[in-house]
């Protein structure tokens, strides 16, 4: 009888040990929104996304990864495909603001926000006015003007919350190169990031080669210059 009890206990321990998994957890989605840190580094795209570039169109830009422990700021809650952004003159509209719906403003020559799977980058890189205002995160988003398979141009758009926190408005944009005259070759942003108050990006030029570029603000109006 005692031997039978011992055998039963041994079987119970064996079963329990076999069903116990090791401790650990998976990380967050590395293709998510940008970091709120002062220095944000971009993540690599998956091979399937990056390999679709070719001559037919731009690849989806890589962005910096989100901090899983960071609380969602107000600007991170933005529904970018349906955002209303003021002061975005790059899109060629006469109105003070551009209203996107499903990622486009719907014009004959459309302006598209975050095209081809691009993601926003978040960081504190736009000077707050007044100077003693609470520091909040800003966003850097990719916008493209023009029809696919036609002459079009891309730009990186710094976006800041309005004073009351309910609106979004653009600062001067970082322009990509103009496309070829026939529109068959377009400069695209492959990746972009915010480092301190500067912007760094990798671009694919008209000749198909890639180049790393950097920009910094050169005046109080937020205009940018390459350096």
């Amino acid at each position: 009888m005692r031997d039978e009890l011992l055998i039963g206990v041994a079987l119970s321990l064996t079963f329990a040990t076999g069903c116990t998994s090791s401790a650990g957890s998976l990380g967050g989605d590395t293709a998510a929104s940008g970091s709120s840190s002062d220095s944000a580094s971009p993540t690599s795209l998956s091979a399937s996304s990056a390999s679709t570039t070719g001559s037919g169109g731009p690849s989806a830009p890589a962005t910096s990864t989100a901090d899983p422990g960071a609380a969602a700021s107000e600007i991170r809650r933005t529904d970018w495909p349906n955002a209303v952004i003021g002061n975005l003159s790059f899109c060629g509209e006469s109105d003070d603001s551009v209203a996107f719906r499903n990622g486009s403003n719907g014009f004959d020559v459309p302006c598209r926000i975050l095209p081809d799977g691009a993601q926003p980058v978040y960081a504190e890189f736009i000077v707050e006015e007044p100077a003693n205002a609470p520091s909040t995160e800003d966003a850097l988003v990719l916008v493209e003007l023009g029809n696919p398979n036609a002459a079009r141009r891309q730009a990186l758009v710094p976006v800041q919350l309005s004073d009351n926190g309910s609106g979004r408005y653009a600062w001067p944009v970082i322009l990509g190169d103009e496309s070829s005259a026939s529109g068959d070759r377009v400069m695209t942003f492959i990746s972009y990031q915010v480092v301190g108050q500067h912007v760094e990006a990798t671009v694919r030029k008209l000749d198909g080669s890639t180049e790393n570029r950097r920009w910094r603000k050169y005046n109080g109006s937020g205009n940018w210059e390459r350096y």
Side-chain angles (χ1 to χ4, degrees):
M1 186 67 173
R2 183 172 178 273
D3 291 341
E4 292 176 356
L5 288 174
L6 290 175
I7 293 173
V9 171
L11 289 173
S12 298
L13 289 174
T14 301
F15 178 78
T17 302
C19 293
T20 302
S21 61
S22 60
S25 61
L26 298 177
D29 182 3
T30 58
S33 303
S35 171
S36 60
S37 65
D38 289 338
S39 178
S41 58
T43 60
S44 299
L45 290 172
S46 62
S48 59
S49 176
S51 63
T52 59
T53 304
S55 60
S59 65
T63 63
S64 51
T65 58
D67 179 2
S73 65
E74 180 61 32
I75 201 160
R76 286 177 185 258
R77 300 187 183 98
T78 303
D79 178 11
W80 293 108
N82 300 293
V84 176
I85 302 177
N87 301 335
L88 187 50
S89 59
F90 170 78
C91 289
E93 297 191 23
S94 58
D95 295 337
D96 182 55
S97 62
V98 178
F100 293 97
R101 292 295 177 266
N102 298 319
S104 172
N105 64 351
F107 281 28
D108 290 339
V109 179
C111 203
R112 298 190 300 145
I113 189 169
L114 297 177
D116 304 298
Q119 296 292 319
V121 169
Y122 300 102
E124 296 173 8
F125 68 104
I126 301 177
V127 177
E128 300 290 336
E129 294 292 344
N132 60 352
S135 181
T136 59
E137 279 189 311
D138 312 299
L140 184 68
V141 298
L142 180 68
V143 171
E144 181 177 270
L145 177 64
N147 285 291
N149 302 318
R152 61 193 190 278
R153 193 176 192 181
Q154 293 190 341
L156 294 176
V157 182
V159 180
Q160 189 175 44
L161 292 174
S162 60
D163 291 340
N164 60 15
S166 61
R168 282 107 176 105
Y169 65 94
W171 281 69
V173 305
I174 296 173
L175 286 172
D177 301 339
E178 293 188 12
S179 65
S180 60
S182 60
D184 60 333
R185 289 174 293 164
V186 179
M187 194 221 83
T188 57
F189 288 90
I190 300 173
S191 66
Y192 47 94
Q193 63 178 330
V194 172
V195 180
Q197 291 188 333
H198 298 178
V199 172
E200 297 181 0
T202 300
V203 305
R204 179 168 285 108
K205 300 191 298 183
L206 300 188
D207 61 5
S209 64
T210 60
E211 181 179 63
N212 296 323
R213 297 183 179 182
R214 299 184 299 173
W215 296 267
R216 61 189 174 194
K217 292 188 289 291
Y218 71 86
N219 61 20
S221 299
N223 293 297
W224 299 86
E225 65 176 356
R226 282 182 61 184
Y227 72 100

